[in-house]
Amino acid sequence: MKRHLGVAALLVALASCAAQPAAPPSTTATTSTPTSTVTTTSPRIDIPRNLAGVDPCKLFSETDFTRNKYGPFSLPPAPYEKIPGSCAATVSTGGPDDLVVLVGVLPRTYDAEKANNPNGHQGLIGGHHVWFSCGGTADNRSCAAWASIAPDHTLMVSLGGKNMNESRLLLNTQELITNVIDRIPRAS
């Protein structure tokens, strides 16, 4: 029951993830100089990832949280059926103030996730564009990040719960998505 309450809090912040709108087309620009031509695409994916067989429940571990003083898993990672391709866990003592974690490899484009979460900001981690967004209420806050890992897939990481500090959540979300990106095998 406690897990469902925490996961429900994340779902409020991630409600837009459940919808799968048509993605806006990627933009391609070519810049010419007298000596070279450079082609760039949006979103940026410098290191393509091999998503075959990736289990989102194996992309994060208890150590990702204990080193940040959150505590051990109170409920270990398990598939989260409401968002196919995702995995949920709770961290701490099993109480109502536990940190709820959601990690997923979603069959949606990065641009679609940005459009669904317009009040965020973009960063670059390991050659991948990442969109960060926080939301919720003062007593039930969550932060999420979506990374461009393939043209038609996005990596999503979300942390949230009751009485959470948004700055700390955002910092820990950034750290976790950095670690998770590194754990996804590179495409050959």
Side-chain angles (χ1 to χ4, degrees):
M1 180 65 177
K2 292 175 187 168
R3 177 184 206 161
H4 295 294
L5 291 174
V7 172
L10 275 179
L11 287 179
V12 170
L14 297 173
S16 63
C17 287
Q20 294 187 26
S26 290
T27 57
T28 302
T30 302
T31 306
S32 296
T33 62
T35 58
S36 66
T37 300
V38 177
T39 301
T40 58
T41 61
S42 176
R44 191 166 156 183
I45 306 171
D46 290 357
I47 303 169
R49 302 293 170 160
N50 181 356
L51 303 179
V54 170
D55 180 353
C57 292
K58 293 183 179 174
L59 292 176
F60 62 107
S61 70
E62 198 170 77
T63 306
D64 291 320
F65 305 100
T66 55
R67 72 172 160 242
N68 291 319
K69 300 183 172 97
Y70 279 111
F73 286 134
S74 53
L75 289 172
Y80 186 64
E81 302 301 325
K82 291 186 181 182
I83 303 176
S86 69
C87 185
T90 53
V91 180
S92 198
T93 62
D97 293 338
D98 281 2
L99 177 70
V100 179
V101 180
L102 194 60
V103 173
V105 177
L106 308 176
R108 293 191 283 271
T109 68
Y110 174 77
D111 289 332
E113 295 299 356
K114 277 178 59 174
N116 285 338
N117 299 281
N119 295 325
H121 65 278
Q122 184 167 277
L124 186 66
I125 296 175
H128 299 269
H129 272 142
V130 180
W131 188 256
F132 295 94
S133 181
C134 293
T137 62
D139 64 342
N140 199 2
R141 181 77 56 199
S142 67
C143 290
W146 296 267
S148 58
I149 55 171
D152 57 352
H153 281 78
T154 304
L155 171 66
M156 183 267 304
V157 167
S158 178
L159 303 176
K162 290 186 174 186
N163 304 313
M164 297 284 172
N165 176 286
E166 185 174 300
S167 296
R168 183 176 181 207
L169 279 176
L170 186 58
L171 181 65
N172 294 143
T173 300
Q174 179 179 346
E175 180 181 344
L176 183 59
I177 201 157
T178 300
N179 293 340
V180 172
I181 287 171
D182 288 342
R183 292 174 185 149
I184 298 175
R186 294 175 181 220
S188 26

